Amino acid sequence: MSAEVHTEAGAAEPTPLTPAERAEAERLSGAYTAHNPVGSGAYATVEDTPLVLGGHEFTSRFILGSGRYDLNLIKATIENAGTQIVTMALRRAQTNENSVLDYIPQGITLLPNTSGARTAEEAVRIARLAREVCQTDFVKVEIKREEKYLLPDNAETIKATEILANEGFVVMPYMFPDPLAAHDLEEAGAAAVMPLGAMIGSNKGVRMRDFIEVIIANAHVPVIVDAGIGRPSQACEAMEIGADAVMAYTAVASAGNIPLMARAFRDAINAGRAAYLSGLGAVVEGHAVPSSPTTGYLR
């Protein structure tokens, strides 16, 4: 972060950190420092808490999909994303040649999903198979009955969540952002809820923001915004409103430079989390608020 410069007397003194270097050092240390220019001017440091899912702790709040990457890019993408959780469809976890499992770095938590399931019964069967193949109790329940909009079926998702939670799975259900359904998923034993931000693959961002905010305000489990996030700025927005994590895939996989886009999402999610922890200023409607005292125009 700093270099040494030599004075005429031969002593070595550290070069002061630039503002950008200081901000990066604070981010890497896990501490977010905010300065309040009004009042005492003292600095306050807020240490973030881990993301806890089913009793497991994670420091990264970026969950990454693995569906359509060139297998040779997966490792670099995961490392640039700084993620600790990677989702995957069971059909990609082949045990023969070119299994995606061979390209995922050690220490990554696999989150198999039940993609392709149309009913709770099908989702439960896929989850049980995934546990055997991937050797994990984590599962993302994903149930869709139609092909045009690919919207999750909340009623079937609640049924599957209850069955799998009773079998000891760490269930993370993908859901349409209905606050009542989010409550029912919690009651069914979900370790987190994953409301969509917009239609899957649309890259439209947090179009369901109002309902997601209601879910966040009332949830007792982590809320992970999943689907529709198309840009790092949109991921930052989701974190600023209080989401505990963001799941992204299409926006990264379709980028011209996939590892670089993964890093951009990582930094945006960290920035959004820091902004949320700092306490965002209130939005003012209908009038301006002066940033310095006003005494009238000079004459």
Side-chain angles (χ1 to χ4, degrees):
M1 288 294 182
S2 62
E4 288 189 345
V5 293
H6 293 272
T7 64
E8 292 182 358
E13 297 180 356
T15 302
L17 293 178
T18 66
E21 288 172 336
R22 186 177 300 280
E24 178 67 359
E26 290 169 353
R27 186 187 70 77
L28 292 174
S29 70
Y32 299 107
T33 303
H35 176 236
N36 179 3
V38 180
S40 66
Y43 284 82
T45 301
V46 178
E47 293 288 347
D48 200 359
T49 56
L51 172 65
V52 179
L53 298 167
H56 301 268
E57 294 187 351
F58 302 90
T59 55
S60 171
R61 294 175 181 271
F62 182 16
I63 299 175
L64 186 68
S66 66
R68 292 178 297 184
Y69 301 124
D70 179 330
L71 291 176
N72 294 314
L73 278 178
I74 287 180
K75 185 174 185 293
T77 303
I78 291 172
E79 290 173 347
N80 277 274
T83 187
Q84 295 167 312
I85 303 176
V86 174
T87 70
M88 58 179 298
L90 179 61
R91 60 181 176 272
R92 292 213 81 196
Q94 307 173 61
T95 55
N96 54 12
E97 186 178 356
N98 275 340
S99 167
V100 68
L101 297 175
D102 296 332
Y103 293 80
I104 294 178
Q106 293 292 319
I108 297 296
T109 295
L110 294 176
L111 177 60
N113 65 44
T114 64
S115 177
R118 292 173 174 266
T119 66
E121 182 182 2
E122 290 178 0
V124 168
R125 183 168 66 251
I126 294 171
R128 290 168 178 165
L129 289 171
R131 178 159 60 181
E132 295 302 317
V133 173
C134 301
Q135 296 297 299
T136 180
D137 289 329
F138 279 78
V139 65
K140 176 186 173 185
V141 172
E142 190 172 333
I143 301 174
K144 300 185 290 284
R145 289 192 298 172
E146 51 79 35
E147 298 295 330
K148 183 175 182 179
Y149 302 107
L150 299 175
L151 297 176
D153 184 325
N154 283 351
E156 289 294 299
T157 300
I158 293 167
K159 293 177 186 176
T161 296
E162 184 171 14
I163 293 169
L164 293 171
N166 287 333
E167 293 182 8
F169 281 88
V170 178
V171 187
M172 300 169 60
Y174 172 57
M175 61 167 296
F176 188 82
D178 173 359
L180 298 177
H183 173 269
D184 291 343
L185 285 165
E186 276 195 47
E187 293 292 307
V193 292
M194 303 180 72
L196 59 85
M199 285 189 287
I200 192 168
S202 68
N203 289 344
K204 290 184 175 181
V206 193
R207 290 294 182 90
M208 305 299 290
R209 174 172 175 153
D210 289 350
F211 298 104
I212 292 173
E213 286 184 312
V214 174
I215 292 172
I216 290 170
N218 293 279
H220 300 93
V221 296
V223 178
I224 301 167
V225 177
D226 179 10
I229 302 297
R231 299 179 182 181
S233 58
Q234 295 166 351
C236 184
E237 177 189 356
M239 297 301 294
E240 284 180 349
I241 65 175
D244 294 281
V246 166
M247 160 72 195
Y249 164 61
T250 301
V252 178
S254 60
N257 186 322
I258 290 175
L260 184 59
M261 182 61 82
R263 191 188 315 163
F265 264 85
R266 176 201 68 189
D267 293 344
I269 289 167
N270 288 340
R273 178 67 177 175
Y276 172 73
L277 292 175
S278 72
L280 296 169
V283 175
V284 177
E285 301 283 357
H287 64 90
V289 178
S291 57
S292 58
T294 56
T295 59
Y297 291 105
L298 295 176
R299 297 182 184 275

